[in-house]
Amino acid sequence: MSPGLASALGAARVFDLEQLRYQGAPSHPAHAPGFNYFLHRHHAPGATEARTGASGIVVMPEHSGTHIDALAHQAENLTLHGGVHVDSGVQTSAGFRVLGIETMAPLLGRGLLLDVAGAQRLPDEHQITPEELERAAAGAGVEVGAGDVVLVRTGFGALWSEPSAYLKAAGVSGPASRWLVDRKVKAVGADNMAWDVMGPTDAELGVTLPGHVLLLVRAGIPIIENLNLEELAAAKVYEFAFVCLPLKMRGATGSPVRPIAIAGP
Amino acid sequence: MSPGLASALGAARVFDLEQLRYQGAPSHPAHAPGFNYFLHRHHAPGATEARTGASGIVVMPEHSGTHIDALAHQAENLTLHGGVHVDSGVQTSAGFRVLGIETMAPLLGRGLLLDVAGAQRLPDEHQITPEELERAAAGAGVEVGAGDVVLVRTGFGALWSEPSAYLKAAGVSGPASRWLVDRKVKAVGADNMAWDVMGPTDAELGVTLPGHVLLLVRAGIPIIENLNLEELAAAKVYEFAFVCLPLKMRGATGSPVRPIAIAGP
Amino acid sequence: MSPGLASALGAARVFDLEQLRYQGAPSHPAHAPGFNYFLHRHHAPGATEARTGASGIVVMPEHSGTHIDALAHQAENLTLHGGVHVDSGVQTSAGFRVLGIETMAPLLGRGLLLDVAGAQRLPDEHQITPEELERAAAGAGVEVGAGDVVLVRTGFGALWSEPSAYLKAAGVSGPASRWLVDRKVKAVGADNMAWDVMGPTDAELGVTLPGHVLLLVRAGIPIIENLNLEELAAAKVYEFAFVCLPLKMRGATGSPVRPIAIAGP
Amino acid sequence: MSPGLASALGAARVFDLEQLRYQGAPSHPAHAPGFNYFLHRHHAPGATEARTGASGIVVMPEHSGTHIDALAHQAENLTLHGGVHVDSGVQTSAGFRVLGIETMAPLLGRGLLLDVAGAQRLPDEHQITPEELERAAAGAGVEVGAGDVVLVRTGFGALWSEPSAYLKAAGVSGPASRWLVDRKVKAVGADNMAWDVMGPTDAELGVTLPGHVLLLVRAGIPIIENLNLEELAAAKVYEFAFVCLPLKMRGATGSPVRPIAIAGP
């Protein structure tokens, strides 16, 4: 039993790191039409009893809103993490038979905020360098270590209600992703659409979104996208207990999530 | 900062209380077609670079699989919790303007397992009585109190891969829901489709699914359905830290969730 | 038997009046997210036999692209065509029990093109008057009569690939809809999003989209929207055999269609 | 102009060959979840004007209900009709760049009913032979020729409201499909789920659903499935004008349709 843990959690300040899900929220072009919700069962007069139930239907890419990428999401030369070659035994019309999101355990542990943006949003499409990560860690008085969940703040999370501005977000450069891989972090996340800056080809790897190859494919480190880190940064909470609970959707390449940071007493 | 909490979480045994999401999983008739996932972006030869991304589309009622009900889900005489009358200012085609799932905070605190089933699954459509809840609490050496999250086990969670058997699950009777309301619990959950037994009309309230009226509408206590409590029961963990993180889908009447029970040191 | 009719149809010039359906096509705000198609079953190596099947999933409002409105689509003071009061016996979460699109017979008969635009697209949001309809009919040498299907051309159909321009289309004024009702036409259609101009309130009726009330609710005349009349107008075919075959989707308020005009020998 | 054709169509008896679309209708396992319609925009009190609009959202495989297969639907050794090799330039997550349903012209011409079943439904999973087709044609006094649309009746169309019985339908054997290919028909259709009998491997081709290879891939002849031929057969109309209007959904491998048979004077 864990009365201590339960009451600690009950007393702690909880930071909600999820952005609101709504039709028209920022969406990557590859993940159109983004989040959609239709309420078709309404509370209405004329029911057969006093109780009525209302409910709806959700249509969304698993990569909509705040979400975590499963390892199957990305391949390099048609090979997934761990050297799994993608063939019809692995990849089906209903999802992946290996490395789908349902294989990802609940994510709990030490979380760190690297607030690269600080008081001012980073420039559009700025590529965060390893030095900037180091400086943010030093400024926060934390050291990135094995097993940590590292959240990088660009400041673009504040633009969630302005899709076109949001889609120009700064991101983490290939070298900075490598810096995190070298520190053996457990997971990473950022307050932008794609962790990486969208568009440019990485000089060393020769691919776009280099962090997706370095983290997901090569290192097996999941990426969380579209985080809302504004409140956490404003409170200057740089170290916290982190919890993220991906939905076990069989075969899916990711899951919408509502990660939280818990700042304990 | 909370290094203590983070490392406690990292070291704890975590019980995953979510059932697997897959096409064909048990589904309430009102929530057809249940969970569906279509992988349309495939890793395939011929891409313009070595990196490829795969992803899909999810179509599901918000009440599919393991999920939590928002307060807007139920009405009594067209009135929601707190006396909110349902009209076109409250209920829209895109969801509710009040009491939608996006208004529900992350749920953290003490959780209790009331294992009414114990070694043997309850009979089909058995209605759990207050006395059975009391006996389960006594057997577990716990006392249900204000602010607790109470999970009731019928044993039907083991039948998740057998939809027609699963849909005959036992449930919590109206009086037993009232017993929980009286103890001012924060949330409840069960390992069945509807918390209540589906079908019968409650003698006192004159409605089906009486717990939905008593808990959601009258008391404002959310209900979690389709939990998997098998592992937790097998480990005889009756008291734990409970975490449940509903997705903030604007206006929706519930959310799929992956609740966890943390048995700390 | 009808060898004559069959061979006449085989020999005739057929005009395709449907716009292309694609993700991103013009869509009325009330009908987001418009048309979506996801191909999840791919032809891929590694199948168990030489034959493979590919297929996908369609997510769309029934009012996407070229479509016909069922009578249940519109109500005036909560009353449908024929004085049917909308209550929970008529309107359900799965559609209408009366006047849904499945009750609409295949539409065949004489079609007329009233090419109000002619050589030049009408001005943005221009409201077509009865006089303009009369002039177009006179210019074409046709007379609108009972049982005719009347297609009105604004010229905006040419802008189908430019959604924001398309949504500013001209439309049919309330008085011009009334003019058509008076002539007892069987159905009407136009090359714009909403038949009516979107936005303005009709002075006489006090509602937006007055044609929807006059035609659908009061007169029981279906409306076809988002037609492509460009080729028909270019060929100066003003009278033709018209065929439109709505899908019998139970309870739906409309159907995507591919209407054709057949110019016989 | 074609006043003759229009009035002939207006006066003709039209047979509706489409089955009703509803949630729970028969569906091929590969095309789950079948047809779904959700009405989320309701007529309800409290609107800002007297006029209200109701509408919903359709979620369906393009191969649901009565539908026509596009040529891209099937491949043999990863090759489509006309020798098109399937690669990433041809097959995308949003559909096919060649041979998608949007490339199929409206289908008009002479239709023939080969009523193999006659007064009695064929046995479950019976494979119709060329001799049976010949006998049906002879009995009807028609000769199958180039350019005809040939509809084959098994009698299972009468079981549309009984999905499990319907899915055991008789179908057209490989040799009978070849017989039709040899006669250079323009399109074929049947009152069952898959034209072919589902399950058995064709001895000659070594594939299941041999008609799909022979007709779609090798001969470029589209297949219409889930037709309702009951009324046509009851009226003993064996020759007619046939019209089928596939929706131009870009890249899709088929389209729901409402084909009609017109028995002219």
Side-chain angles (χ1 to χ4, degrees):
Chain A
M1 276 175 277
S2 59
L5 188 55
S7 59
L9 287 177
R13 177 166 180 194
V14 173
F15 292 87
D16 179 356
L17 308 182
E18 185 199 25
Q19 298 279 14
L20 183 67
R21 298 174 192 281
Y22 64 99
Q23 199 178 53
S27 177
H28 189 285
H31 300 135
F35 174 80
N36 288 273
Y37 176 67
F38 309 98
L39 185 79
H40 63 294
R41 294 180 64 237
H42 292 203
H43 301 303
T48 55
E49 53 178 336
R51 186 189 62 76
T52 53
S55 65
I57 189 95
V58 176
V59 177
M60 64 176 174
E62 73 267 49
H63 297 271
S64 62
T66 308
H67 69 276
I68 189 165
D69 291 349
L71 300 186
H73 176 43
Q74 294 286 314
E76 185 181 12
N77 295 317
L78 297 182
T79 303
L80 304 180
H81 178 66
V84 177
H85 180 65
V86 177
D87 60 24
S88 62
V90 162
Q91 181 179 243
T92 80
S93 60
F96 285 86
R97 292 220 180 88
V98 297
L99 300 178
I101 193 65
E102 80 279 20
T103 65
M104 192 180 289
L107 202 51
L108 295 94
R110 189 171 82 135
L112 299 175
L113 172 65
L114 299 189
D115 185 2
V116 180
Q120 198 166 351
R121 192 167 61 243
L122 294 177
D124 283 3
E125 303 187 347
H126 172 74
Q127 302 201 33
I128 295 168
T129 63
E131 294 69 34
E132 288 174 304
L133 294 185
E134 278 171 355
R135 218 174 306 141
V142 298
E143 200 168 334
V144 175
D148 287 340
V149 176
V150 177
L151 310 183
V152 178
R153 181 169 172 268
T154 68
F156 279 78
L159 300 178
W160 187 244
S161 61
E162 301 171 45
S164 63
Y166 184 84
L167 287 167
K168 295 185 189 124
V172 181
S173 68
S177 286
R178 197 182 299 272
W179 184 91
L180 288 160
V181 168
D182 289 346
R183 269 142 198 82
K184 303 188 189 309
V185 299
K186 181 155 60 179
V188 301
D191 58 344
N192 63 7
M193 182 57 70
W195 174 258
D196 299 274
V197 173
M198 296 192 286
T201 297
D202 183 73
E204 190 179 336
L205 289 177
V207 300
T208 57
L209 308 182
H212 279 65
V213 168
L214 294 166
L215 291 157
L216 292 170
V217 183
R218 296 195 184 174
I221 297 170
I223 305 172
I224 308 172
E225 289 154 331
N226 297 323
L227 287 164
N228 182 347
L229 302 173
E230 296 308 290
E231 193 189 353
L232 195 63
K236 299 190 185 303
V237 173
Y238 301 113
E239 185 180 359
F240 41 84
F242 179 81
V243 181
C244 178
L245 303 171
L247 300 174
K248 289 186 295 184
M249 304 187 292
R250 192 170 67 186
T253 73
S255 172
V257 287
R258 184 181 195 174
I260 54 171
I262 309 171
Chain B
M1 277 175 279
S2 59
L5 189 54
S7 58
L9 287 178
R13 177 165 180 195
V14 173
F15 292 86
D16 179 356
L17 309 183
E18 186 199 24
Q19 298 279 13
L20 183 67
R21 297 174 195 280
Y22 64 98
Q23 199 179 54
S27 177
H28 189 284
H31 300 132
F35 174 79
N36 288 274
Y37 177 66
F38 309 98
L39 184 80
H40 64 294
R41 295 179 63 238
H42 293 203
H43 301 303
T48 55
E49 54 178 334
R51 186 189 62 75
T52 52
S55 65
I57 190 95
V58 176
V59 177
M60 62 176 176
E62 73 267 48
H63 296 272
S64 62
T66 309
H67 68 277
I68 189 165
D69 291 349
L71 300 187
H73 177 42
Q74 295 286 315
E76 184 181 12
N77 295 317
L78 296 183
T79 303
L80 305 180
H81 178 66
V84 177
H85 181 65
V86 177
D87 62 23
S88 63
V90 162
Q91 181 179 244
T92 80
S93 60
F96 284 86
R97 293 219 180 89
V98 296
L99 301 178
I101 193 65
E102 81 280 18
T103 64
M104 192 180 288
L107 201 50
L108 295 92
R110 187 170 84 135
L112 298 176
L113 171 66
L114 299 189
D115 186 1
V116 181
Q120 197 166 349
R121 190 168 62 244
L122 294 176
D124 284 4
E125 304 185 348
H126 172 75
Q127 302 201 34
I128 295 169
T129 64
E131 294 69 35
E132 288 174 303
L133 294 185
E134 278 173 356
R135 220 174 304 141
V142 298
E143 200 166 335
V144 175
D148 287 339
V149 176
V150 177
L151 310 183
V152 177
R153 180 171 172 268
T154 67
F156 280 79
L159 300 179
W160 187 244
S161 62
E162 301 170 47
S164 62
Y166 183 84
L167 286 168
K168 296 184 189 122
V172 181
S173 68
S177 287
R178 197 182 299 271
W179 185 90
L180 289 160
V181 168
D182 289 345
R183 270 142 198 80
K184 301 189 192 307
V185 299
K186 180 155 61 179
V188 300
D191 58 344
N192 63 8
M193 181 57 70
W195 174 258
D196 298 275
V197 172
M198 297 191 286
T201 297
D202 183 73
E204 190 179 336
L205 290 176
V207 300
T208 57
L209 309 182
H212 280 64
V213 168
L214 294 167
L215 291 158
L216 293 169
V217 182
R218 297 196 182 172
I221 298 171
I223 304 172
I224 309 171
E225 289 154 331
N226 297 322
L227 288 164
N228 181 347
L229 302 173
E230 296 308 291
E231 193 189 352
L232 197 63
K236 299 189 184 304
V237 173
Y238 301 113
E239 186 180 359
F240 42 86
F242 178 81
V243 182
C244 177
L245 303 171
L247 300 174
K248 288 185 295 184
M249 304 188 291
R250 192 171 66 188
T253 72
S255 172
V257 288
R258 184 182 195 175
I260 54 171
I262 310 171
Chain C
M1 276 176 276
S2 58
L5 188 55
S7 59
L9 287 177
R13 177 165 179 194
V14 173
F15 293 86
D16 179 357
L17 308 183
E18 185 198 25
Q19 297 280 13
L20 183 66
R21 297 174 195 280
Y22 63 99
Q23 199 177 55
S27 177
H28 189 285
H31 300 134
F35 175 79
N36 288 273
Y37 176 67
F38 309 98
L39 185 79
H40 63 294
R41 295 179 64 238
H42 292 203
H43 301 303
T48 54
E49 54 178 332
R51 185 188 62 78
T52 52
S55 65
I57 190 95
V58 176
V59 177
M60 63 175 175
E62 75 267 48
H63 297 271
S64 62
T66 308
H67 68 276
I68 189 166
D69 291 349
L71 300 187
H73 177 43
Q74 296 286 315
E76 185 181 12
N77 295 317
L78 297 183
T79 303
L80 305 179
H81 178 66
V84 177
H85 180 64
V86 177
D87 60 24
S88 63
V90 161
Q91 181 180 244
T92 81
S93 60
F96 285 86
R97 292 220 180 89
V98 296
L99 300 179
I101 193 64
E102 81 278 19
T103 64
M104 192 181 287
L107 201 50
L108 295 92
R110 187 170 84 135
L112 298 176
L113 172 66
L114 299 190
D115 186 2
V116 180
Q120 197 166 350
R121 191 167 62 243
L122 293 176
D124 284 3
E125 303 185 347
H126 172 75
Q127 302 200 34
I128 295 169
T129 63
E131 294 69 35
E132 288 174 304
L133 294 185
E134 278 172 356
R135 219 174 304 139
V142 298
E143 199 167 336
V144 175
D148 287 340
V149 176
V150 177
L151 310 182
V152 177
R153 180 170 173 269
T154 67
F156 280 77
L159 300 178
W160 187 244
S161 61
E162 301 171 46
S164 63
Y166 183 84
L167 287 168
K168 296 186 188 120
V172 181
S173 68
S177 286
R178 197 182 298 272
W179 186 91
L180 288 160
V181 168
D182 289 345
R183 270 143 196 80
K184 303 188 191 307
V185 299
K186 180 155 59 178
V188 301
D191 57 344
N192 63 7
M193 182 57 69
W195 174 258
D196 298 275
V197 172
M198 295 191 287
T201 297
D202 183 72
E204 190 178 335
L205 290 176
V207 300
T208 58
L209 308 182
H212 280 64
V213 168
L214 294 166
L215 290 157
L216 292 170
V217 182
R218 297 196 183 172
I221 298 171
I223 304 172
I224 308 171
E225 288 154 332
N226 297 321
L227 287 164
N228 182 346
L229 302 174
E230 296 309 291
E231 193 189 353
L232 195 63
K236 299 189 184 304
V237 172
Y238 301 113
E239 186 181 359
F240 42 85
F242 178 80
V243 181
C244 177
L245 303 171
L247 300 174
K248 289 186 294 185
M249 303 187 292
R250 191 170 66 187
T253 71
S255 172
V257 287
R258 185 181 196 176
I260 55 172
I262 309 170
Chain D
M1 275 177 277
S2 59
L5 189 54
S7 58
L9 287 178
R13 176 165 180 194
V14 173
F15 292 87
D16 179 356
L17 309 183
E18 185 198 25
Q19 298 279 13
L20 183 67
R21 298 174 193 280
Y22 64 98
Q23 199 178 52
S27 177
H28 189 284
H31 300 134
F35 174 79
N36 288 273
Y37 176 68
F38 309 98
L39 184 81
H40 63 295
R41 295 179 65 238
H42 293 203
H43 301 304
T48 55
E49 54 178 334
R51 185 189 62 77
T52 52
S55 65
I57 189 95
V58 177
V59 178
M60 63 175 174
E62 74 266 49
H63 297 271
S64 62
T66 308
H67 68 277
I68 189 165
D69 292 348
L71 300 187
H73 177 43
Q74 294 286 314
E76 185 180 12
N77 296 316
L78 297 182
T79 303
L80 304 180
H81 178 65
V84 177
H85 180 65
V86 177
D87 60 24
S88 62
V90 161
Q91 182 180 243
T92 81
S93 60
F96 285 85
R97 292 220 180 87
V98 296
L99 301 178
I101 193 64
E102 81 278 19
T103 65
M104 191 180 287
L107 201 51
L108 296 92
R110 188 171 83 136
L112 299 176
L113 171 66
L114 299 189
D115 186 1
V116 180
Q120 196 166 353
R121 192 168 62 243
L122 293 177
D124 283 3
E125 302 185 349
H126 171 75
Q127 301 201 35
I128 295 169
T129 64
E131 293 71 32
E132 288 175 303
L133 295 185
E134 277 173 356
R135 219 173 306 142
V142 298
E143 200 167 335
V144 175
D148 287 340
V149 175
V150 177
L151 309 184
V152 177
R153 180 168 172 270
T154 67
F156 280 77
L159 300 178
W160 186 244
S161 62
E162 302 171 45
S164 62
Y166 183 84
L167 286 167
K168 294 185 189 123
V172 181
S173 68
S177 286
R178 198 181 299 272
W179 185 90
L180 288 160
V181 169
D182 289 345
R183 268 142 199 83
K184 302 188 191 310
V185 298
K186 181 155 60 178
V188 301
D191 58 345
N192 63 8
M193 181 58 68
W195 174 258
D196 298 274
V197 172
M198 297 192 286
T201 297
D202 183 73
E204 189 178 337
L205 289 176
V207 300
T208 57
L209 308 182
H212 279 65
V213 168
L214 294 166
L215 291 156
L216 292 170
V217 183
R218 296 195 182 174
I221 298 170
I223 304 173
I224 308 171
E225 288 154 332
N226 297 322
L227 287 164
N228 181 347
L229 303 174
E230 296 309 291
E231 192 189 353
L232 196 62
K236 300 190 183 303
V237 172
Y238 301 113
E239 185 179 359
F240 42 85
F242 178 82
V243 181
C244 176
L245 303 171
L247 300 174
K248 288 186 294 183
M249 304 187 290
R250 191 170 68 186
T253 72
S255 172
V257 288
R258 185 182 195 173
I260 54 170
I262 310 170

